[in-house]
Amino acid sequence: MISPARRHMLKLGIVALLAPAASGVMAQSAVPFYKPGDVVAGLYQHWAQPRAAAFSDTAKKLHAALATFCSAPSASPQSAAAARSAWQTAVTDWERLSSVPFGPLIERRSVRAIDFQPTRPQLIERAIKQAPRGASAMERIGTPAKGLPALEWLLWEKPVTSGSQGCAYAVEVAADVAREADALQQAFASARPGEWDNEQTANAFTEFVNQWVGSIERLRWQEIERPVREAKSKSRSAARFPRHAAGSTADSWATHWNALRDLAVFSQQEVPQAGQAVIPMERYLLGRGQIALVQRWKKAFAEAATSMQGLTPGAQDKLLPAAKRLASIKRMAEEEVAPALNVSIGFSDADGD
């Protein structure tokens, strides 16, 4: 027979066990029921617009830094370093904006215009000899000879010198990037997703989810795994990762990963309100009662975050395991998350071989 004191202790234990579950239910019930339009509005107004404005600003500063360096009567280590630093800042802001491209970034083909990879040195050399000046002349220069990767080549792999023809071309490339950055900033600023009809909103929502899936595959395959496997198959001494010449590969991976994570899972304390914040996929699913899926989604991201934390090109034994974690998230996005979002996944150029 259980004594009254023992019975009281058991009741207290049951209450203690149920308390976390009850608080969890209350937390889930506090999440709003979001609509696709809420997600799209958040993407444009609270994700893309501030990032496009930041990139437009740093692209102009990159152009100014190169103009200062290239107009100097003699080589200046300080101005050369300033130009390189301006490039790195602009690249970071660009990747924050473009890691998951949608809307004007796709309509304008901005990723190709600003970030064509891999670099084509022969085409850059040919463009330098053509000595283009101004926007009209730069329109006649092929995309593979322009953009941020071309500037990386001109600043690190075959560094231009002040007063040279190559330096003058670098200034024109930077001006070209700044023009496209300004056009993007204006395009996102003028977008009015709140005024779109249901079909436009549904298409924008579908585009975002598909581009997110393509983006994580691009990080997994093109930026991490493919260079590793190509180096092994061709017996190279080292893999050639994106941004390797500038020594910015690790920063690039981190920026790309952070963008993917922030659009997929929620890390803030306050529940995002429609029209006032970015709505990550996890919050959208939670608002629709997909609790078990959300728990698996967050677990997959936590595991991948451990692999991506501090990842560098030199960590050879960690690269393929990290890529494997990213692949598992992509599969989950395609097989479970997208159907729960009522989105069909199409083929992407980022899909690996």
Side-chain angles (χ1 to χ4, degrees), residues 213-232:
V213 172
S215 178
I216 198 165
E217 175 64 2
R218 187 171 72 251
L219 176 60
R220 191 279 301 181
W221 175 246
Q222 294 179 348
E223 297 181 19
I224 299 177
E225 185 171 341
R226 182 176 181 174
V228 172
R229 296 198 181 281
E230 286 185 345
K232 289 182 178 179

Side-chain angles (χ1 to χ4, degrees), residues 238-254:
R240 291 179 66 83
F241 298 103
R243 320 295 191 207
H244 70 279
S248 299
T249 299
D251 290 339
S252 178
W253 286 344

Side-chain angles (χ1 to χ4, degrees), residues 41 52 54 83 94 115 120 136 141 152 189 197 215 225 227 230-232 238 240 243-244 259-260 278 347 350 353:
W94 162 247
D115 203 8
R120 305 290 174 81
S136 298
I141 300 297
E152 181 182 12
D197 60 30
S215 178
E225 185 171 341
E230 286 185 345
K232 289 182 178 179
R240 291 179 66 83
R243 320 295 191 207
H244 70 279
L260 287 163
V278 175
F347 177 78
D353 297 333

Side-chain angles (χ1 to χ4, degrees), residues 114-190:
I114 291 175
D115 203 8
F116 183 93
Q117 298 186 58
T119 306
R120 305 290 174 81
Q122 291 181 333
L123 297 181
I124 296 173
E125 296 278 16
R126 186 186 305 170
I128 290 172
K129 293 177 181 178
Q130 294 177 20
R133 296 292 183 271
S136 298
M138 286 300 289
E139 287 179 0
R140 295 191 291 271
I141 300 297
T143 301
K146 299 188 290 186
L148 293 170
L151 287 175
E152 181 182 12
W153 190 82
L154 291 165
L155 287 169
W156 276 275
E157 297 217 43
K158 192 173 181 180
V160 293
T161 56
S162 59
S164 68
Q165 195 168 344
C167 213
Y169 179 68
V171 173
E172 293 296 332
V173 172
D176 195 61
V177 169
R179 283 190 291 270
E180 181 60 24
D182 186 58
L184 278 172
Q185 189 271 329
Q186 293 183 40
F188 276 114
S190 63

Side-chain angles (χ1 to χ4, degrees), residues 31-32 34 266 271-272 279-287 298:
V31 178
Y34 301 109
F266 187 65
V271 175
I279 311 297
M281 286 185 259
E282 174 224 325
R283 293 285 108 174
Y284 184 93
L285 292 168
L286 200 58
K298 292 180 71 173

Side-chain angles (χ1 to χ4, degrees), residues 260-272:
L260 287 163
R261 182 195 57 200
D262 291 347
L263 289 171
V265 295
F266 187 65
S267 59
Q268 305 301 317
Q269 294 296 321
E270 296 184 7
V271 175

